[in-house]
Amino acid sequence: MDVVENSVEDEVRALEALGNHTSFDVLDGSRLRCSACRRVVPCAEVPLLEVRRVEGPSDPAEMAAVLALRCPRCSAHGTLALGFGPCASAEEQDAFERVVIRDAEPA
């Protein structure tokens, strides 16, 4: 996962330019909602396509990631911006661990 100098908004726009036109929302219970089909899916079922890490401009502890994901129900490609690390909400940290860290672990 590379750290980039751009803002979260810059990274979302860049991923949208690559065809990731929908978005995902983090829900409690390790779930995400696809904005294209409105279906709620477990984080563990959502394929990760790309990760772009962004740090806060004045505080590197303000870590965020912009993810490119594919909905396992409707196959829409979209983005999810979320915090991780000490500044993240419990739901964001859980989603990060279940999607990004799960994907990085060897099978």
Side-chain angles (χ1 to χ4, degrees):
M1 177 172 38
D2 295 327
V3 179
V4 295
E5 297 292 326
N6 294 335
S7 69
V8 168
E9 293 80 14
D10 292 336
E11 293 306 319
V12 168
R13 281 193 294 275
L15 289 172
E16 287 174 342
L18 295 173
N20 299 288
H21 298 294
T22 196
S23 62
F24 291 84
D25 298 311
V26 175
L27 304 175
D28 63 350
S30 303
R31 300 171 304 147
L32 299 176
R33 178 184 294 120
C34 171
S35 67
C37 68
R38 308 297 299 162
R39 305 280 292 279
V40 174
V41 295
C43 290
E45 293 180 14
V46 179
L48 175 65
L49 306 174
E50 188 171 343
V51 180
R52 298 195 181 188
R53 181 177 160 192
V54 181
E55 290 182 352
S58 61
D59 183 359
E62 293 176 1
M63 298 179 288
V66 180
L67 313 180
L69 305 170
R70 183 178 55 79
C71 177
R73 303 294 188 260
C74 72
S75 298
H77 288 222
T79 59
L80 171 63
L82 49 81
F84 67 95
C87 295
S89 70
E91 290 82 9
E92 289 177 318
Q93 187 65 32
D94 184 53
F96 183 82
E97 290 173 2
R98 292 181 186 269
V99 176
V100 177
I101 294 175
R102 169 214 70 208
D103 195 67
E105 293 176 349

